[in-house]
């Protein structure tokens, strides 16, 4: 087992190299440059100033030299300073914002797990009944409605309409956590509920289910003891990528609720061509995703003894 | 053996009954009235109430988009400084925005953008994705490997980020949204088409067509594509809300549609800072986005179930 984990961790290195290389190429291959002001009608910088900036950021060197320099510094944990947020280094920015996003993402994922999975189980038990319809409605709602639209609904209903929540946004007290968590969590909740339902339906057709019923177990014992145990394995697989997606922050949810997380950099850094920041967040996302997948694989073998890691 | 024979009978049925041999004529007379695949699918679609409701809403929004210049009570871009940020009233059923533009008119014109992007992007996605998938699936071997590696690389990059990158490079505008969604969105269709074609290559009827001397062009367009069409149509239907979502997100961020042209996403993005005082400004376009997304999703679900009854919602 420990050997397996070590090998997987070792494979992280080439994966990260590939991700950084592809990001670097795509970033430089799409037209646009960080040397130009990003406002649409702004005056271009004078050529001399552009040359100075390029020299300062090392953009005047050939591309392969730029990439190797990036690699050398990144290995020491130095991702340079942001082109836009000039007063702080990329590492400082991420140290400040990533924990906030991770916190919000964890709560959203817990919400999705603790409501989505039971909902999916109930829907599978009550196939084509009322609970099933409610489940499929919530699942479609979560999957189809963008979270910024959902956020508007939540603010209008709970802050402006009912007045249950005192503020429209911020991140100072636990009251501020509620709405962003719901807005971010409903999408994953819908996906999980749908996934759980279909996997449970599959399991309930198996022979051992009939055996369990035939030996006189109560419906409750059959579902909880036999069906759920097997039916929850497939949904476990999607939790890894799901956590990576919500744990690195959402631009929309964080903007609408003024959450000081890292989600906005996914959009801002792309628009501003903030090369150091783009590289850092994509790599952070990649590492997060890879580690989550590893954790899920390990969990999988713990939960299901039939699966042996090799 | 028997099952095999009867299945072949089924595929041949339409042409033999129309050939009108006396024996088969009486048989055809006793059988139920002849219906095509699409007629069958249409009946099943209509029977699905959620899908029907979705379809009707889509139709209404499409009509609204087409007749926008006729039904919109005010121009969408002319500020009216004597009626600034008014609450919904008789004169302005959805109120007016911060420069006095009628919200109802802006909503109606906003439907144009959503519909154009939703449907138009699928045309581009179809035109890029299907040929690439078809070539990969038909040629197989090395061509397939190279094309699919390329597709994998495209797949690995988060789509919304890629679209933002392209939009930041090309600049705002409806045309560029088409291009950005087209460039990034064809991957799914290409994969699907390739898989369908690969599984079809060795089927008897394709071998038969090839044996009769059909060339690659004829094989692909007359034999393989029509058989792969149902999953492609379903995937395209699900692509519509995805494209609408992408446009709304881009316009929300501010790299999508070019103002003063209104889009629902752009309106949500523009008005949400004023949510506390003028909540209706952002709420109406948000409702519109939710309704159109749900409608397309329900319609897509219904269409999938209708076209392939064996694939009934898992």
């Amino acid at each position: 087992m420990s050997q397996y984990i070590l090998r997987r961790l070792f494979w992280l290195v080439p994966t990260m190299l590939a991700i950084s290389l592809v990001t670097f190429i795509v970033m430089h291959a799409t037209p646009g440059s960080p040397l130009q002001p990003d406002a649409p009608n702004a005056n271009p910088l004078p050529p001399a100033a552009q040359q100075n900036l390029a020299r300062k950021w090392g953009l005047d060197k050939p591309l392969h030299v730029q990439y190797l320099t990036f690699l050398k510094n990144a290995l020491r944990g130095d991702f340079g300073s942001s082109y836009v947020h000039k007063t702080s280094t990329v590492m400082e920015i991420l140290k400040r914002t990533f924990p906030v996003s991770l916190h919000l993402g964890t709560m959203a994922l817990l919400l999705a797990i603790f409501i989505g999975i039971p909902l999916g189980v109930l829907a599978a038990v009550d196939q084509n009944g009322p609970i099933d319809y409610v489940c499929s409605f919530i699942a479609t709602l979560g999957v189809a409605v963008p979270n910024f639209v959902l956020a508007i609904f939540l603010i209008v209903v709970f802050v402006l309409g009912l007045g249950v929540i005192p503020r429209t946004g911020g991140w100072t007290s636990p009251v501020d956590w509620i709405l962003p968590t719901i807005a971010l969590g409903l999408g994953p909740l819908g996906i999980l509920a749908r996934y759980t339902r279909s996997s449970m339906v599959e399991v309930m057709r198996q022979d051992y289910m009939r055996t369990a019923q035939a030996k006189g177990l109560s419906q409750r014992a059959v579902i909880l003891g036999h069906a759920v145990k097997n039916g929850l394995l497939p949904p476990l697989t999607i939790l890894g990528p799901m956590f990576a997606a919500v744990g690195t922050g959402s631009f929309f949810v964080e903007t609408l609720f003024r959450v000081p997380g890292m989600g906005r950099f996914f959009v801002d850094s792309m628009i501003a061509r903030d090369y150091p920041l783009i590289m850092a967040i994509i790599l952070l996302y990649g590492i997060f995703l890879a580690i989550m997948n590893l954790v899920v694989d390990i969990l999988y073998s713990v939960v299901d003894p039939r699966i042996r890691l090799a | 053996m028997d099952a095999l024979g009867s299945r072949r009978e089924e595929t041949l049925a339409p042409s033999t009954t129309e050939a009108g041999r006396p024996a088969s004529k009486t048989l055809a007379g006793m059988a139920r009235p002849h219906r095509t695949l699409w007629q069958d699918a249409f009946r099943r679609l209509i029977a699905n109430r959620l899908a029907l409701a979705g379809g009707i809403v889509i139709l209404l929004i499409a009509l609204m988009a087409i007749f926008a210049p006729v039904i919109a009570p005010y121009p969408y871009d002319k500020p009216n400084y004597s009626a600034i940020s008014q609450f919904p009233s008789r004169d302005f059923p959805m109120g007016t925005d911060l420069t006095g533009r009628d919200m109802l008119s802006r909503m109606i014109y906003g439907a144009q953008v959503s519909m154009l992007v939703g449907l138009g992007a699928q045309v581009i996605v179809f035109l890029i994705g299907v040929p690439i998938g078809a070539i990969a699936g038909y040629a197989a071997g090395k061509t397939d490997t190279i094309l699919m590696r390329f597709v994998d690389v495209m797949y690995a990059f988060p789509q919304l980020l890629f679209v933002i990158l392209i939009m930041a490079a090309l600049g705002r505008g409806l045309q560029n949204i088409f291009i950005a969604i087209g460039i990034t969105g064809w991957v799914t269709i290409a994969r699907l088409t390739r898989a369908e074609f690969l599984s079809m290559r060795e089927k008897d009827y394709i071998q038969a067509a090839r044996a009769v001397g059909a060339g690659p062009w004829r094989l692909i367009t007359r034999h393989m594509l029509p058989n792969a069409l149902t999953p492609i149509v379903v995937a395209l239907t699900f692509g519509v809300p995805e494209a609408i979502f992408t446009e709304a997100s881009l316009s929300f961020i501010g790299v999508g549609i070019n103002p003063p042209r209104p889009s629902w996403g752009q309106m949500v993005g523009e008005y949400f800072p004023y949510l506390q005082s003028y909540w209706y400004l952002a709420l109406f376009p948000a409702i519109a986005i939710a309704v159109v997304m749900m409608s397309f999703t329900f319609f897509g679900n219904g269409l999938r179930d209708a076209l392939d009854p064996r694939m009934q919602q898992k």
Side-chain angles (χ1 to χ4, degrees):
Chain A
M1 179 72 122
S2 59
Q3 206 183 356
Y4 170 80
I5 296 174
L6 272 180
R7 196 167 55 226
R8 281 285 296 265
L9 286 176
F10 168 77
W11 268 104
L12 265 180
V13 179
T15 314
M16 287 307 120
L17 272 179
I19 292 180
S20 70
L21 188 60
V22 169
T23 310
F24 187 85
I25 292 172
V26 171
M27 196 166 78
H28 284 272
T30 38
S33 145
L35 300 174
Q36 288 294 340
D38 46 345
N41 296 319
N43 288 326
L45 285 176
Q50 289 198 19
Q51 272 170 19
N52 277 335
L53 271 182
R55 199 171 315 129
K56 182 181 165 205
W57 290 335
L59 295 175
D60 52 346
K61 306 214 176 63
L63 280 180
H64 64 272
V65 178
Q66 286 184 42
Y67 180 68
L68 291 178
T69 320
F70 161 81
L71 268 190
K72 211 172 69 194
N73 292 332
L75 283 178
R76 291 189 315 230
D78 172 15
F79 286 88
S81 27
S82 157
Y83 294 170
V84 178
H85 311 272
K86 295 191 175 69
T87 48
S88 31
T89 66
V90 169
M91 277 315 254
E92 281 165 3
I93 293 177
L94 291 184
K95 258 186 202 145
R96 198 172 59 232
T97 55
F98 178 49
V100 177
S101 290
L102 188 64
H103 177 194
L104 175 57
T106 311
M107 291 193 301
L109 192 74
L110 290 179
L111 176 84
I113 292 175
F114 285 114
I115 298 189
I117 291 185
L119 196 63
V121 172
L122 287 177
V125 174
D126 179 49
Q127 243 178 89
N128 296 322
I131 300 178
D132 196 10
Y133 277 103
V134 170
C135 167
S136 106
F137 186 78
I138 292 180
T140 314
L141 193 80
V143 176
V145 177
N147 52 25
F148 65 89
V149 169
L150 205 64
I152 300 274
F153 292 160
L154 289 172
I155 293 177
V156 168
V157 172
F158 291 105
V159 182
L160 306 175
L162 300 174
V164 193
I165 305 227
R167 291 186 290 279
T168 54
W171 197 250
T172 43
S173 77
V175 178
D176 298 325
W177 299 349
I178 302 170
L179 294 186
T181 304
I182 300 175
L184 190 60
L186 200 68
L189 191 156
I191 298 173
L192 264 185
R194 207 187 249 186
Y195 221 81
T196 309
R197 179 189 180 274
S198 61
S199 128
M200 283 291 291
V201 166
E202 194 75 18
V203 165
M204 284 167 60
R205 286 204 208 106
Q206 302 291 323
D207 287 340
Y208 58 78
M209 289 298 291
R210 205 175 309 125
T211 312
Q213 273 156 354
K215 73 182 182 192
L217 287 182
S218 68
Q219 179 72 1
R220 196 188 163 79
V222 173
I223 300 293
L224 292 181
H226 296 255
V228 169
K229 256 188 190 168
N230 290 291
L232 288 196
L233 285 174
L236 193 62
T237 6
I238 53 168
L239 283 181
M242 203 176 250
F243 190 35
V246 294
T248 48
S250 150
F251 170 83
F252 300 102
V253 172
E254 291 183 1
T255 309
L256 279 161
F257 292 104
R258 300 194 298 279
V259 178
M262 65 172 280
R264 65 191 168 105
F265 297 129
F266 279 100
V267 171
D268 290 354
S269 67
M270 293 281 167
I271 294 174
R273 296 304 163 114
D274 195 342
Y275 290 158
L277 198 51
I278 296 180
M279 292 299 276
I281 55 172
I282 298 267
L283 277 178
L284 177 67
Y285 177 77
I287 292 178
F288 197 163
L289 182 65
I291 291 180
M292 279 309 125
N293 278 334
L294 176 60
V295 170
V296 164
D297 284 349
I298 294 170
L299 269 183
Y300 221 88
S301 78
V302 172
V303 180
D304 187 349
R306 284 169 302 184
I307 296 167
R308 210 165 287 146
L309 299 177
Chain B
M1 184 67 209
D2 191 43
L4 231 158
S6 70
R7 190 174 310 150
R8 197 163 301 154
E9 199 80 356
E10 252 170 45
T11 37
L12 288 174
S15 54
T16 35
T17 43
E18 271 153 41
R21 266 178 289 147
S24 66
K25 206 166 201 174
T26 51
L27 255 178
M30 292 191 305
R32 64 180 170 81
H34 172 71
R35 277 187 265 132
T36 67
L37 166 73
W38 296 98
Q39 282 170 328
D40 258 350
F42 186 70
R43 276 159 173 267
R44 282 194 290 264
L45 190 62
I46 296 289
N48 182 336
R49 252 180 275 155
L50 272 179
L52 185 66
I56 291 173
V57 172
I58 293 168
L59 207 65
L60 287 178
I61 294 176
L63 287 175
M64 190 168 95
I66 294 169
F67 293 108
V70 187
I71 46 178
Y74 300 90
Y76 64 81
D77 53 351
K78 283 268 158 41
N80 174 2
Y81 295 112
S82 55
I84 286 173
S85 31
Q86 292 198 353
F87 196 76
S89 65
R90 276 263 299 284
D91 286 347
F92 304 101
M94 289 191 178
T96 60
D97 76 354
L98 302 162
T99 53
R101 295 177 294 192
D102 176 45
M103 278 296 288
L104 179 64
S105 307
R106 288 177 67 74
M107 291 288 295
I108 293 173
Y109 274 97
Q112 285 187 336
V113 174
S114 286
M115 280 304 181
L116 268 178
V117 169
L119 302 173
Q122 299 318 304
V123 176
I124 302 183
V125 164
F126 181 87
L127 288 179
I128 304 179
V130 168
I132 292 184
I135 292 171
Y138 180 82
K142 216 173 232 158
T143 324
D144 177 42
T145 316
I146 294 171
L147 282 175
M148 283 304 116
R149 278 301 84 77
F150 183 57
V151 165
D152 283 343
V153 171
M154 293 280 300
Y155 222 71
F157 214 74
Q159 197 200 350
L160 193 61
L161 296 190
F162 207 175
V163 172
I164 291 171
L165 209 56
I166 296 175
M167 289 304 291
L170 296 179
R172 292 188 292 201
L174 194 58
Q175 217 179 337
N176 293 342
I177 296 178
F178 279 134
I179 297 175
I181 298 180
I183 291 179
T184 54
W186 57 272
V187 195
T188 325
I189 296 287
R191 270 196 165 172
L192 184 81
T193 312
R194 171 208 176 241
E196 288 292 320
F197 271 46
L198 268 186
S199 74
M200 224 181 283
R201 278 182 92 229
E202 306 306 324
K203 290 264 169 69
D204 286 348
Y205 59 91
I206 297 296
Q207 298 286 352
R210 191 174 284 148
V212 171
W217 176 251
R218 192 180 168 82
L219 265 180
I220 290 180
T221 55
R222 298 300 294 274
H223 296 273
M224 298 174 93
L225 199 54
N227 278 300
L229 214 52
T230 37
I232 292 178
V233 167
V234 171
L236 286 176
T237 317
F238 283 116
V240 174
E242 228 165 81
I244 293 178
F245 167 74
T246 307
E247 185 277 324
S249 311
L250 288 175
S251 298
F252 176 93
I253 295 166
V255 293
I257 208 76
N258 233 344
R261 188 172 192 149
S263 123
W264 294 339
Q266 180 264 329
M267 287 158 87
V268 175
E270 186 182 336
Y271 301 136
F272 92 81
Y274 314 106
L275 203 56
Q276 202 122 33
S277 346
Y278 307 116
W279 52 268
Y280 51 91
L281 287 181
L283 184 65
F284 290 130
I287 293 176
I289 295 173
V291 166
V292 78
M293 296 280 294
M294 298 278 284
S295 302
F296 270 109
T297 309
F298 283 132
F299 186 73
N301 282 339
L303 194 65
R304 181 194 51 203
D305 295 346
L307 282 176
D308 193 352
R310 279 166 308 171
M311 279 276 292
Q312 278 290 357
Q313 176 94 29
K314 314 132 276 178

XYZ file of all heavy atoms in Angstrom, chain B residues 192-221:
240
model
N -17.890 11.563 -29.613
C -19.107 10.770 -29.766
C -19.202 10.196 -31.178
O -19.438 9.000 -31.366
C -20.308 11.671 -29.480
C -21.658 11.021 -29.488
C -21.867 10.342 -28.159
C -22.735 12.058 -29.709
N -19.002 11.070 -32.197
C -19.093 10.634 -33.586
C -18.075 9.538 -33.865
O -18.383 8.532 -34.497
C -18.831 11.823 -34.535
O -19.619 12.912 -34.103
C -19.184 11.459 -35.954
N -16.858 9.746 -33.342
C -15.811 8.753 -33.563
C -16.209 7.395 -32.978
O -16.082 6.355 -33.632
C -14.521 9.229 -32.916
C -13.457 8.183 -32.914
C -12.540 8.399 -31.755
N -11.559 7.331 -31.690
C -11.456 6.517 -30.647
N -12.269 6.654 -29.629
N -10.549 5.580 -30.631
N -16.727 7.424 -31.746
C -17.112 6.166 -31.103
C -18.195 5.463 -31.908
O -18.133 4.253 -32.140
C -17.599 6.443 -29.680
N -19.193 6.229 -32.373
C -20.279 5.643 -33.167
C -19.727 5.024 -34.447
O -20.089 3.914 -34.824
C -21.298 6.729 -33.531
C -22.148 7.192 -32.371
C -23.102 6.096 -31.914
O -23.660 5.406 -32.785
O -23.274 5.939 -30.695
N -18.851 5.771 -35.121
C -18.316 5.310 -36.398
C -17.453 4.065 -36.213
O -17.524 3.134 -37.007
C -17.493 6.423 -37.069
C -18.320 7.313 -37.941
C -19.541 7.796 -37.489
C -17.904 7.652 -39.218
C -20.318 8.602 -38.290
C -18.681 8.460 -40.027
C -19.882 8.935 -39.569
N -16.644 4.074 -35.159
C -15.773 2.920 -34.915
C -16.597 1.656 -34.726
O -16.285 0.603 -35.280
C -14.922 3.157 -33.672
C -13.551 3.785 -33.868
C -12.784 3.802 -32.559
C -12.757 3.046 -34.930
N -17.685 1.785 -33.946
C -18.486 0.596 -33.668
C -19.261 0.161 -34.912
O -19.677 -0.974 -35.029
C -19.451 0.880 -32.525
O -20.502 1.696 -32.972
N -19.426 1.102 -35.856
C -20.226 0.799 -37.042
C -19.399 0.191 -38.165
O -19.937 -0.499 -39.028
C -20.833 2.101 -37.541
C -22.275 2.026 -37.942
S -22.744 3.629 -38.500
C -22.949 4.500 -36.993
N -18.073 0.440 -38.123
C -17.208 0.057 -39.246
C -17.372 -1.398 -39.643
O -17.381 -1.733 -40.815
C -15.740 0.295 -38.878
C -15.306 1.717 -39.046
C -13.845 1.841 -38.701
N -13.017 1.680 -39.890
C -11.980 0.890 -39.963
N -11.654 0.152 -38.938
N -11.274 0.820 -41.069
N -17.480 -2.260 -38.639
C -17.480 -3.693 -38.939
C -18.884 -4.275 -39.077
O -19.033 -5.468 -39.266
C -16.704 -4.462 -37.865
C -15.282 -3.944 -37.632
C -14.462 -3.893 -38.914
O -14.648 -4.793 -39.765
O -13.672 -2.944 -39.079
N -19.919 -3.426 -38.940
C -21.289 -3.929 -39.040
C -21.558 -4.461 -40.450
O -20.981 -3.988 -41.434
C -22.286 -2.809 -38.727
C -22.308 -2.387 -37.264
C -23.411 -3.106 -36.508
C -23.280 -2.920 -35.013
N -23.561 -1.545 -34.595
N -22.463 -5.419 -40.517
C -22.738 -6.081 -41.792
C -23.173 -5.119 -42.888
O -22.731 -5.204 -44.024
C -23.834 -7.139 -41.591
C -23.293 -8.352 -40.858
O -22.051 -8.429 -40.748
O -24.094 -9.177 -40.404
N -24.073 -4.194 -42.529
C -24.618 -3.356 -43.615
C -23.581 -2.402 -44.185
O -23.645 -2.014 -45.351
C -25.873 -2.607 -43.150
C -25.685 -1.688 -41.968
C -25.365 -0.351 -42.146
C -25.865 -2.158 -40.668
C -25.207 0.484 -41.055
C -25.709 -1.334 -39.583
C -25.379 -0.012 -39.776
O -25.231 0.802 -38.702
N -22.578 -2.058 -43.364
C -21.514 -1.205 -43.879
C -20.621 -2.041 -44.804
O -20.257 -1.613 -45.905
C -20.681 -0.620 -42.722
C -21.560 0.278 -41.851
C -19.486 0.156 -43.246
C -22.090 1.489 -42.554
N -20.308 -3.273 -44.357
C -19.517 -4.184 -45.184
C -20.219 -4.419 -46.514
O -19.603 -4.410 -47.575
C -19.322 -5.520 -44.465
C -18.571 -5.417 -43.159
C -17.087 -5.187 -43.369
O -16.609 -5.245 -44.492
N -16.372 -4.900 -42.295
N -21.551 -4.593 -46.422
C -22.326 -4.858 -47.640
C -22.240 -3.670 -48.589
O -22.001 -3.822 -49.791
C -23.780 -5.141 -47.264
N -22.409 -2.456 -48.026
C -22.348 -1.258 -48.864
C -20.982 -1.140 -49.508
O -20.852 -0.800 -50.683
C -22.649 -0.023 -48.021
N -19.951 -1.480 -48.713
C -18.589 -1.387 -49.241
C -18.397 -2.415 -50.356
O -17.806 -2.121 -51.390
C -17.594 -1.635 -48.102
C -16.179 -1.313 -48.493
C -15.244 -1.432 -47.298
N -15.391 -0.290 -46.407
C -15.228 -0.373 -45.085
N -14.962 -1.522 -44.526
N -15.347 0.706 -44.349
N -18.944 -3.603 -50.128
C -18.804 -4.668 -51.123
C -19.472 -4.293 -52.442
O -19.003 -4.608 -53.519
C -19.406 -5.963 -50.583
N -20.586 -3.578 -52.343
C -21.300 -3.157 -53.548
C -20.509 -2.078 -54.286
O -20.755 -1.788 -55.442
C -22.718 -2.657 -53.160
C -23.419 -2.014 -54.319
C -23.526 -3.816 -52.618
N -19.525 -1.477 -53.586
C -18.651 -0.529 -54.264
C -18.849 0.909 -53.855
O -18.459 1.825 -54.574
N -19.471 1.130 -52.701
C -19.648 2.500 -52.240
C -18.303 3.071 -51.807
O -17.542 2.413 -51.111
C -20.633 2.536 -51.071
N -18.015 4.293 -52.234
C -16.768 4.950 -51.858
C -16.872 5.512 -50.451
O -17.945 5.513 -49.851
N -15.741 6.020 -49.917
C -15.731 6.543 -48.553
C -16.772 7.658 -48.352
O -17.482 7.692 -47.338
C -14.311 7.113 -48.394
C -13.517 6.578 -49.501
C -14.436 6.087 -50.569
N -16.877 8.585 -49.308
C -17.803 9.706 -49.178
C -19.232 9.205 -49.051
O -19.979 9.612 -48.173
C -17.638 10.641 -50.385
C -18.612 11.776 -50.378
C -19.670 11.943 -51.218
C -18.641 12.892 -49.479
N -20.343 13.087 -50.906
C -19.737 13.701 -49.835
C -17.836 13.288 -48.398
C -20.062 14.877 -49.165
C -18.164 14.457 -47.722
C -19.258 15.238 -48.107
N -19.593 8.284 -49.949
C -20.941 7.763 -49.937
C -21.202 6.950 -48.670
O -22.248 7.068 -48.045
C -21.157 6.887 -51.176
C -22.614 6.555 -51.386
C -22.855 5.690 -52.598
N -24.225 5.202 -52.534
C -25.280 5.900 -52.930
N -25.112 7.108 -53.417
N -26.489 5.400 -52.836
N -20.203 6.165 -48.280
C -20.345 5.357 -47.060
C -20.617 6.250 -45.858
O -21.523 6.003 -45.073
C -19.053 4.570 -46.819
C -18.991 3.151 -47.335
C -17.651 2.542 -46.994
C -20.125 2.336 -46.724
N -19.804 7.314 -45.739
C -19.928 8.187 -44.573
C -21.251 8.941 -44.596
O -21.993 8.948 -43.616
C -18.740 9.175 -44.505
C -17.460 8.407 -44.158
C -19.003 10.255 -43.483
C -16.237 9.274 -44.058
N -21.567 9.569 -45.734
C -22.730 10.456 -45.741
C -24.047 9.707 -45.845
O -25.051 10.141 -45.315
C -22.649 11.482 -46.888
O -22.478 10.756 -48.108
C -21.500 12.433 -46.680
